[in-house]
Amino acid sequence: MDAPAPSHEHQRGPGERVDPLTGASTWIVPSRQDRPNLPAHGCPFCPGGLEAPEPYEVKAFPNRWPPFPGQRAEIVLYTPRHDASFADLSPAEARRVVDLWADRSAALGSRPDVDYVLVFENRGPEVGATIAHPHGQIYAFGSVPPAAAVELAGGRTAAGLGPDAPGHRVVAAAGAGWRAWVPVAATWPFELLLAPAQAVPDLPTLDSDGRDGLGRLLVDVVGRLDRLFDAPMPFMLWFHQRPFDGGEWPEAWLHVHIAPLLRAPGVPRFVASGELGSGVWFNPVDPAEAAARLREA
Ligand SMILES: [Zn+2]
Ligand SMILES: [Zn+2]
């Protein structure tokens, strides 16, 4: 029997490669090099622009530059106001964004080729946002990605997200038991976790009060991050929720991770060799101190 050619052995599907050394997946996407980077004129996300020809309040649409095939990547516009921040949204406007995240999670999650819906945002050019207009993204994966799987398999979501998890590191709270806190072993200097005190598995299941609470809490904490260094904080934000593969996921507990880039005004926190080489993190800001500063901000 012929051995498979190396190129086939490490190719899971069109575009997806599997590293023989680690088993980790990488999507090779040369087409994404062609996407516009911070266009100076004619924002495509403003009403009347390329991606939003009609007036809108919030809007989701397929990513014109998807990282993988099959219409499994979407853009979510938070507001028609180009210069707004999430922190500027009214409670009703933030609620509309939460509702759209939930609706798109349910719609994408119902597809037979989708097992996991990752709602996320890269905010600021420092973390790779190529268009300034307030927006987030959604990737719908054909399997549960490793970062989500490791939390679900660990049997630790109650300890990591439940009523006692914030300790003295609570930063803010909102309705329906939603709290934001600096995690005890934060890997980013002003990292935040947001979760309801009682388990809710996913965005579509979140009830009306829970959706209002999540929207208000996000507005609150993004405002704190922006005031911390008196400048818009670049950050990476993502939701973890129950896989949409139809399986039993008793550990699933909806939550939000926020990884702010800066450790001091204008000073980014780099993930460098000691960390990439070891898989162990080193954080220069004590989580209790970070929480105190964010409470004051
Ligand atoms: Zn715009
Ligand atoms: Zn998580």
Side-chain angles (χ1 to χ4, degrees):
M1 198 170 112
D2 291 334
S7 61
H8 173 77
E9 185 180 359
H10 305 305
Q11 188 100 30
R12 187 168 282 159
E16 187 179 11
R17 306 263 179 92
V18 179
D19 187 321
L21 196 55
T22 64
S25 281
T26 298
W27 287 84
I28 308 295
V29 201
S31 62
R32 279 174 64 78
Q33 286 284 44
D34 299 332
R35 67 196 197 279
N37 190 42
L38 296 171
H41 304 289
C43 172
F45 296 167
C46 275
L50 175 68
E51 305 287 10
E54 305 296 330
Y56 68 89
E57 291 180 319
V58 291
K59 181 180 172 70
F61 57 90
N63 190 331
R64 192 179 289 270
W65 311 93
F68 34 46
Q71 301 271 56
R72 289 190 284 130
E74 297 191 351
I75 304 290
V76 177
L77 304 183
Y78 298 164
T79 168
R81 290 177 285 143
H82 184 87
D83 294 321
S85 152
F86 203 99
D88 300 326
L89 299 187
S90 70
E93 289 172 325
R95 168 65 189 265
R96 276 188 212 115
V97 178
V98 174
D99 285 340
L100 185 56
W101 283 330
D103 292 349
R104 295 315 303 156
S105 293
L108 289 162
S110 71
R111 288 172 44 161
D113 60 342
V114 170
D115 280 357
Y116 197 87
V117 179
L118 186 75
V119 173
F120 68 96
E121 177 180 359
N122 296 318
R123 197 236 220 179
E126 299 90 340
V127 295
T130 52
I131 293 174
H133 196 113
H135 72 284
Q137 300 186 59
I138 300 179
Y139 285 179
F141 290 87
S143 59
V144 183
V150 73
E151 292 180 356
L152 292 164
R156 293 183 295 262
T157 46
L161 302 167
D164 300 330
H168 299 296
R169 287 162 281 99
V170 174
V171 169
W178 276 94
R179 293 139 337 140
W181 70 96
V182 181
V184 65
T187 54
W188 293 82
F190 294 93
E191 182 175 331
L192 289 168
L193 264 176
L194 283 65
Q198 303 301 320
V200 174
D202 51 37
L203 280 161
T205 312
L206 193 60
D207 67 14
S208 184
D209 287 348
R211 293 179 186 207
D212 283 336
L214 169 58
R216 286 171 187 270
L217 191 56
L218 280 168
V219 167
D220 181 321
V221 299
V222 171
R224 289 175 192 278
L225 289 169
D226 289 345
R227 292 189 296 271
L228 182 65
F229 300 139
D230 287 323
M233 173 68 89
F235 60 71
M236 295 162 280
L237 175 157
W238 62 98
F239 282 79
H240 278 150
Q241 58 180 331
R242 175 167 54 187
F244 290 89
D245 62 349
E248 293 285 322
W249 294 98
E251 287 288 314
W253 193 314
L254 176 67
H255 59 282
V256 185
H257 295 265
I258 302 180
L261 184 73
L262 303 183
R263 60 183 173 84
V267 183
R269 175 259 204 275
F270 289 105
V271 176
S273 310
E275 297 174 318
L276 284 182
S278 66
V280 177
W281 296 74
F282 302 88
N283 180 353
V285 179
D286 180 83
E289 158 85 11
R293 290 176 63 185
L294 286 168
R295 275 195 300 272
E296 289 163 12

